[in-house]
Each structure stands twice: as C-alpha cells, then as structure tokens.
Amino acid sequence: MKGTPVAMAIAGVLIVPAMWAFLLAPRIVLAVAPFTGLLFLLSGMHMTYRSRFSPGEALWSFVLALIFFGSLLVASTTSLVWRMGRPELHGVAVAVAAAIGTGGLLLGYLAERRRLSPSKEGIPVALMPIVDLEQHRLRPLPIAGSPPTMGRVAFLAALALNLPLLLQLNGLQRDDVLWLAMPVLGAAVTYVLTTGIGPSLARIQALRALERRTGQRFTTSRIEELNAMRRGLWLARWLCRADDLKAAAPASAGLKGARPRR
C-alpha cells in the first residue's frame, strides 16, 4: 500500500506519456509528463492516506483507468501507422482506438447493467452480498464476480510490451514483431475494459443511486484495517485524516484516569 503513490507517479510520468510518443512531438510528450505524473501521484497519495474507497472515489479511479488504458490503446494503433510511415493516418488510428475502447466499455457496462437489473427492496440482487445498509459498508466482491486483478492486467501488458524482444530472439524481423505485438496489446486492453472497467462503472452508478436514496455514503468494510495500516506510514501524521489518527488510541484509553475500585 505504501508503494502505491510511487507506482502511480511512475505510470503518470513514464508510461502514459510514452504511449503517445507515436502520435505527438517529443517536446509535447515531455511537457505533458510532469502534469500526468503529478495527477497520478496525488491520486496515489489520496488512495494511500485518505481514501474511504467510496463509490464517488471509485468514479475518480474510473477516470484514471480510462486515461491509462486509453493511452495503451492509442499506442497499439498509432504505432502501426508510425511503422508504415503514413502520418496522414494518425487521425484514423486514434479513431480506431476510440471505437475499440468505447465498444469494449459499452459491452461490459451493458452486460453488468442487465445483471444488476433484478432488485429486491430497491437493492440490486447482485449487489446484496457486498452491501451492508445498516453500517453503510461495502464488502469485497465475491471471487467469482471480481474484475481482472491488477496482477493479471500487468501480466497481459508486460506480455504485449515484451513480445517484440522475445520474437526477435527467435529470428523474426522487427516489422513482423510489431505487427504481432501491438494487436496483442490492443486485445489485452480491450479485455480489461470489457470485463473489468465497464462493469465497474455500472456498479458505481448503482451504488451511487443507493447512496442518494439512503442519504448516507458507503465506505469499505475494511476501513479500520486500512486505517491501522495507514497509521504506520511515515507521512501519516501530515496526510491522514485526523479522525483516522485518533482511532489509534486503544479502547481502554478512557479508563486510564479512573481510580481502582476498593
């Protein structure tokens, strides 16, 4: 958890701008990198030290995921145009990436909306295992219905990005490798959008509707556990919420001043 801000800052400074290098001039990429790096760094800091993991905060994470995976999709299409030496097709490449990304998101979103449509007492049946209305908490998603883990996402991205080197070591030409690797990258990102990010948007909307109906914001059921971890981080004193730091006091603290009964 404590490494999240650094990992997200690296993604914002290096990975996201680099994915646009086939389309934009180097000076523009270098100018954008500090802004995307700061955006992802601040998001990582908030997630580590202050986030309640509420549906509203999940919506912001959804936007960051779109920036990251959308950039990967743009790279998968514009790199092929760059290899062909056809800069006039850059607009077509971006349009293709947008169409693929939007289609993947929409398919996943609509499928999840259908799954959430049956409801009981105003609560989608599919969300009942994770919703605790009494305490306004959200339990973790069941394993069978969970979106792709970040480990799986990282594996697919690493496979696509390192496939050129692996294939070149086996004697294939660089052009052949590019034509194989970039479609794999595009397919991996589309898979993540369809099975993970699109459905998450439908769940966020359903949970936000429940929040509006009950007048209470949801938070993760593991908030006490997360706060205990946060209090051990070296910037917790300055970045954590005051209430989260106060919770560090033991339950018996109020008995310290009491006199023993004789």
Side-chain angles (χ1 to χ4, degrees):
M1 184 174 179
K2 61 183 178 181
T4 299
V6 175
M8 292 190 67
I10 292 174
V13 172
L14 298 178
I15 299 178
V16 172
M19 295 299 101
W20 293 84
F22 298 106
L23 179 65
L24 303 176
R27 66 179 184 277
I28 298 178
V29 173
L30 292 176
V32 168
F35 294 99
T36 54
L38 181 62
L39 173 64
F40 277 72
L41 173 63
L42 293 177
S43 300
M45 297 286 283
H46 178 80
M47 184 183 301
T48 299
Y49 289 96
R50 300 181 66 86
S51 177
R52 302 291 187 182
F53 294 93
S54 65
E57 291 171 325
L59 190 60
W60 174 245
S61 298
F62 171 82
V63 174
L64 291 180
L66 280 186
I67 295 173
F68 182 81
F69 289 109
S71 298
L72 289 177
L73 267 182
V74 168
S76 70
T77 56
T78 57
S79 61
L80 299 179
V81 171
W82 172 79
R83 174 52 61 187
M84 290 188 297
R86 299 285 301 278
E88 71 276 9
L89 295 179
H90 276 150
V92 175
V94 173
V96 169
I100 294 173
T102 303
L105 276 174
L106 191 60
L107 286 174
Y109 172 80
L110 293 177
E112 188 70 5
R113 281 292 298 268
R114 286 194 296 269
R115 195 176 76 90
L116 296 175
S117 58
S119 62
K120 182 179 180 181
E121 297 179 355
I123 305 174
V125 175
L127 292 182
M128 285 184 172
I130 70 171
V131 172
D132 184 347
L133 285 180
E134 293 183 0
Q135 299 185 7
H136 306 288
R137 299 293 180 91
L138 295 176
R139 307 182 189 95
L141 281 169
I143 296 177
S146 61
T149 63
M150 289 308 298
R152 192 186 307 174
V153 173
F155 171 76
L156 291 172
L159 176 64
L161 294 175
N162 288 284
L163 191 58
L165 176 61
L166 296 175
L167 294 179
Q168 285 185 58
L169 291 176
N170 286 278
L172 289 180
Q173 298 297 319
R174 182 176 300 177
D175 289 347
D176 298 331
V177 169
L178 185 67
W179 286 105
L180 289 172
M182 290 301 104
V184 170
L185 175 61
V189 173
T190 305
Y191 167 78
V192 173
L193 292 173
T194 305
T195 62
I197 300 177
S200 72
L201 178 59
R203 289 191 292 270
I204 291 169
Q205 287 185 337
L207 291 171
R208 294 278 285 175
L210 277 177
E211 285 184 332
R212 289 191 294 269
R213 197 188 75 182
T214 61
Q216 295 287 339
R217 293 184 63 182
F218 287 112
T219 187
T220 176
S221 61
R222 300 178 59 194
I223 190 64
E224 288 81 10
E225 178 185 347
L226 289 172
N227 286 338
M229 294 173 59
R230 286 166 173 165
R231 290 191 289 269
L233 300 178
W234 66 289
L235 292 178
R237 179 179 177 183
W238 298 277
L239 298 181
C240 282
R241 301 172 190 268
D243 292 342
D244 297 342
L245 294 177
K246 291 177 183 177
S252 59
L255 303 177
K256 287 184 179 179
R259 295 181 179 179
R261 186 176 297 177
R262 295 179 181 177

